[in-house]
Amino acid sequence: MRTLIAAFLLVPSALAQSDDSADLGRVRLAASPLAIAAKLVSSSVQERQAGLRQLGFDPGEEPPGLRVAVHWEQLDQDPEEEVVLALEVAGTVNVFVVDQHQGEWWRVARFANGFRDGCTLDGTLAFKQTRKDGIRDILIRTSGGGTDIVSTNLTIYQLREGTVRRLFHVVEDASYRVMGRQTSDVMTHEHVSLAFVNDSGTANPLIVADRTKEQWKASDKDFLGLPGRRTLSQECSVYRWSEPLGKFSFDGVLTRRICGFRKPLSELR
């Protein structure tokens, strides 16, 4: 695995306004991802604009900052490493997964993360070995929200036979407000921690998801922080890798065996 990171100061406004999305279509690139990355960090305005066009953008005239990262990763079983090209500008991240086939470069996935201009490369893109030795999968975090809710979604993808496929999805982090007769002005925060394990009782890799849930009344002056958090619950779920299904699926038997008894959510005091 190798990583190259560079920065420059030109990017189209369309790039900063991308919606959170996953495009798993297969599109042939006019140049190699390394050649495109070289153009993106060129001192020539024309070269930078050409690189952006090769990624499908229409270059604009306003120049906020641009950060470019190139990752070489072993994402499938062929001997060549794949390339992941990522761009960050003004809190918006675009990620391109690129695969080479018979001498041609293909964009096999594009991810965009730009909720409220607060996203970073490090917070959006990661790689992890979840299923097979020597092969890493792609972890994409995207942020979202609406009125009184902010959330972070984690999705795991694999590259298989030139196609990017989703293996697992979870809402990793969420904060929201509950209004109503029974729970007046209650704030809730949920967080999921994942453990990737090879269990001795099963031949397939597992994901153990441990979810914590806290609630407190927004009327408490310290509701954004520390002592005002009144309750805590824990839930545990186990997901087993299924090769025929091509994804991690919930396993009730392993959940009961591995997770055991968890403390239920108590009433707000």
Side-chain angles (χ1 to χ4, degrees), residues 19-174:
D19 294 330
D20 298 347
S21 61
D23 179 358
L24 305 183
R26 187 176 175 88
V27 178
R28 187 172 68 85
L29 294 178
S32 76
L34 301 185
I36 294 174
K39 291 180 179 179
L40 293 175
V41 297
S42 170
S43 60
S44 166
V45 173
Q46 291 77 16
E47 284 286 296
R48 296 197 298 269
Q49 290 180 338
L52 290 166
R53 289 191 184 95
Q54 288 177 329
L55 290 176
F57 297 115
D58 181 15
E61 297 179 356
E62 298 298 325
L66 169 66
R67 183 185 181 203
V68 179
V70 181
H71 302 267
W72 288 263
E73 294 285 348
Q74 190 65 52
L75 300 178
D76 60 12
Q77 298 189 30
D78 64 30
E80 296 84 11
E81 290 183 323
E82 284 64 47
V83 178
V84 178
L85 176 63
L87 287 69
E88 176 190 332
V89 57
T92 296
V93 176
N94 283 263
V95 176
F96 301 85
V97 182
V98 184
D99 186 31
Q100 189 175 27
H101 179 67
Q102 296 182 349
E104 295 184 329
W105 290 97
W106 294 82
R107 189 205 78 187
V108 294
R110 174 184 172 183
F111 307 100
N113 186 24
F115 176 69
R116 293 183 180 173
D117 296 332
C119 304
T120 64
L121 279 177
D122 295 338
T124 299
L125 174 65
F127 304 93
K128 189 172 186 63
Q129 180 178 293
T130 68
R131 302 168 295 112
K132 296 182 179 180
D133 292 340
I135 296 178
R136 304 216 318 160
D137 292 324
I138 306 162
L139 279 64
I140 297 290
R141 288 180 171 87
T142 57
S143 56
T147 303
D148 289 330
I149 182 169
V150 178
S151 64
T152 299
N153 298 285
L154 171 62
T155 309
I156 303 176
Y157 298 89
Q158 70 161 325
L159 176 63
R160 184 172 183 174
E161 298 176 351
T163 301
V164 172
R165 310 177 187 189
R166 190 171 83 167
L167 307 183
F168 180 77
H169 174 80
V170 68
V171 178
E172 187 177 48
D173 199 85

